[in-house]
Amino acid sequence: MDTQDGTFPLIISVDDHTVEPPDVWQSRLPKKYLDTGPRIVRAPLREMSFLGGRFKPVMGKPGEDGPIGDWWIYEDLHRPLTRLDTAVGYSRDEIRLEVITYEQMRAGSYDVPQRLADMDVNHVQSALCFPTFPRFCGQTFTEAKDRELALLCVRAYNDWMVEEWCGPLAQGRQIPLALIPLWDARLAAAEVRRNAARGVRAVAFSEIPPHLGLPSVHTDDWDPFLAACDETGTVVAMHIGSSSRMPSTSADAPPAVGSTITFANCCFSMVDWLMSGKFERFPDLKVMYAEGQIGWIPYILERADVVWEENRAWGGVADKVTRPPSELFAEHVYGCFFDDAFGLKNLDAIGLGNVLYETDYPHSDSTWPKSREVGEAQMGHLAPDAVERIVRGNAIDLLGLTADGLWAGPGTAS
């Protein structure tokens, strides 16, 4: 792959984030829902905490003292925009848990041309973006009282994602990621097919559905959804935190504890999938773990193979997992990283074809604007063709992009 200077390939990031503009739902919902559907108000913050993996903001009343921020209001939910939603451009010591307005965030967080400009600065060609207000797999709508409205909100988000965020202004450089109504697997299957028909090849899902009060992947409940993904070539994309429960050790553990062990839910989730039998029932199904890093994967595969070999008779998997979990991983699972020198040193134990690169723009962990430099430093021991596969080739194949690394647009279903 020729790049600007013939060295490090242009990056295809499989985990960035969009901060939804204020009109995403107000411009798409029926009039009768505009007062209860998602909308932005400007209001003061009364108090806010983030301990034990739980985010707890309290909105003040108009006229009260307190920092002013923009808040998403939806039914009884009050959710502020925070500096953690969009931290790029600030020094690490300036990134605190505080409310902000749209004017105080980097415009690339929500504006397509500005996002492309920030991607150019970071040597990024294309990017797949997870949501902010809906949360990483649409939990916000799953928790809502009015399911009719929630379904409309899911569809409105997907329409905005395809038609605007990934629309003509994006020039094929934004890769669409759809949401599903998690509360109904048949409705979810229909939404997968609706979006696959217009070229969408990825859908967000929860790493650990039971944490959301939903069935586990060991049941048959998800089969209609999984069948739709299998048939359409739609990748099941799971982001850390998509179970609404970040790993932690106690109710008073500081965020630094959870931030250090964010990979844990991905680890638990991957074992679930490998022992579920779903990959043998749905042979074309692919799953990816966004922002989970990759250094932990070799040991988990080793342990899973040992358990499968020695304990499968009493372990409840003999009748549904007929091949070593490591073989299933190689064919179905993709790990995503943005800063994992240890994982790259153990790439042979993971698999060159199972690793994807990301930048996590605009979050506080993001390597922007130095994702290229980080990649060069950590992949310097790899052959150029291996670097090309990690940085872009695997993403092109997995997400059905053009040979040039772009999304071809609506109507490009495989």
Side-chain angles (χ1 to χ4, degrees), residues 1-3 5-14 123 125 294 335 337 344-345 347-348 351-358 371-397:
M1 174 67 193
D2 292 332
T3 63
D5 62 1
T7 55
F8 198 75
L10 286 170
I11 297 165
I12 298 177
S13 174
V14 296
H123 200 67
Q125 179 187 28
I294 59 174
F337 77 99
L344 289 166
K345 290 175 182 176
L347 190 61
D348 288 346
L352 177 60
N354 298 84
V355 174
L356 306 168
Y357 199 43
E358 59 188 30
S371 300
R372 173 185 181 175
E373 289 84 347
V374 171
E376 287 176 329
Q378 295 189 353
M379 300 183 211
H381 64 292
L382 299 174
D385 60 337
V387 175
E388 194 279 338
R389 284 192 67 184
I390 293 169
V391 173
R392 56 184 295 110
N394 289 337
I396 289 173
D397 293 341

Side-chain angles (χ1 to χ4, degrees), residues 93-153:
D93 291 335
E94 292 178 308
I95 301 171
R96 301 181 178 89
L97 184 60
E98 59 184 355
V99 296
I100 60 171
T101 65
Y102 278 91
E103 290 81 4
Q104 292 171 313
M105 71 174 68
R106 193 171 185 88
S109 301
Y110 59 88
D111 179 83
V112 172
Q114 291 299 316
R115 172 61 66 93
L116 299 186
D118 279 354
M119 290 163 64
D120 289 340
V121 169
N122 200 31
H123 200 67
V124 173
Q125 179 187 28
S126 309
L128 178 139
C129 293
F130 285 82
T132 297
F133 170 69
R135 312 215 299 280
F136 295 144
C137 67
Q139 304 102 296
T140 296
F141 303 126
T142 302
E143 296 166 358
K145 299 173 184 176
D146 187 334
R147 288 289 169 79
E148 180 181 353
L149 171 57
L151 180 58
L152 290 171
C153 286

Side-chain angles (χ1 to χ4, degrees), residues 19-27 38-40 70 72 102 110:
V19 176
E20 299 79 20
D23 68 341
V24 169
W25 291 278
Q26 290 291 295
S27 64
R39 59 205 182 278
I40 285 287
D70 284 336
W72 282 106
Y102 278 91
Y110 59 88

Side-chain angles (χ1 to χ4, degrees), residues 61-345:
K61 296 180 180 179
E64 283 187 1
D65 291 336
I68 301 297
D70 284 336
W71 295 69
W72 282 106
I73 309 298
Y74 171 45
E75 292 188 340
D76 297 328
L77 175 65
H78 297 166
R79 198 282 194 191
L81 299 176
T82 75
R83 176 57 59 210
L84 298 186
D85 292 326
T86 172
V88 293
Y90 287 78
S91 72
R92 298 297 183 186
D93 291 335
E94 292 178 308
I95 301 171
R96 301 181 178 89
L97 184 60
E98 59 184 355
V99 296
I100 60 171
T101 65
Y102 278 91
E103 290 81 4
Q104 292 171 313
M105 71 174 68
R106 193 171 185 88
S109 301
Y110 59 88
D111 179 83
V112 172
Q114 291 299 316
R115 172 61 66 93
L116 299 186
D118 279 354
M119 290 163 64
D120 289 340
V121 169
N122 200 31
H123 200 67
V124 173
Q125 179 187 28
S126 309
L128 178 139
C129 293
F130 285 82
T132 297
F133 170 69
R135 312 215 299 280
F136 295 144
C137 67
Q139 304 102 296
T140 296
F141 303 126
T142 302
E143 296 166 358
K145 299 173 184 176
D146 187 334
R147 288 289 169 79
E148 180 181 353
L149 171 57
L151 180 58
L152 290 171
C153 286
V154 168
R155 290 173 174 167
Y157 177 88
N158 291 337
D159 291 344
W160 168 79
M161 170 62 63
V162 171
E163 298 165 6
E164 293 194 36
W165 188 254
C166 302
L169 287 177
Q171 304 169 37
R173 297 178 62 187
Q174 297 295 350
I175 306 164
L177 174 70
L179 299 179
I180 55 169
L182 289 162
W183 60 90
D184 188 315
R186 295 189 182 281
L187 288 176
E191 190 63 13
V192 166
R193 291 189 171 96
R194 183 176 83 94
N195 288 291
R198 49 184 178 174
V200 179
R201 289 283 301 275
V203 62
F205 190 65
S206 174
E207 59 202 353
I208 307 178
H211 285 350
L212 303 178
L214 299 169
S216 80
V217 297
H218 300 289
T219 71
D220 295 334
D221 296 67
W222 293 108
D223 285 5
F225 161 68
L226 298 179
C229 293
D230 182 69
E231 293 164 10
T232 61
T234 298
V235 181
V236 178
M238 294 171 281
H239 194 285
I240 58 165
S242 56
S243 62
S244 293
R245 190 183 300 178
M246 293 297 286
S248 192
T249 55
S250 65
D252 58 351
V257 172
S259 185
T260 302
I261 57 174
T262 51
F263 71 91
N265 280 352
C266 295
C267 174
F268 300 157
S269 174
M270 190 178 82
V271 175
D272 255 350
W273 282 90
L274 292 176
M275 299 298 187
S276 70
K278 298 302 183 185
F279 293 139
E280 298 191 58
R281 291 188 60 194
F282 302 103
D284 293 322
L285 186 65
K286 310 288 187 184
V287 305
M288 58 168 268
Y289 288 99
E291 207 172 321
Q293 312 304 334
I294 59 174
W296 53 272
I297 292 176
Y299 172 71
I300 292 300
L301 293 180
E302 178 185 272
R303 177 60 183 165
D305 278 358
V306 169
V307 169
W308 177 81
E309 184 67 38
E310 297 183 357
N311 303 332
R312 62 179 179 267
W314 64 265
V317 297
D319 61 339
K320 58 183 179 181
V321 181
T322 63
R323 299 164 56 200
S326 60
E327 290 186 12
L328 297 174
F329 172 89
E331 295 175 10
H332 298 275
V333 184
Y334 296 79
C336 311
F337 77 99
F338 56 79
D339 187 358
D340 193 339
F342 182 83
L344 289 166
K345 290 175 182 176

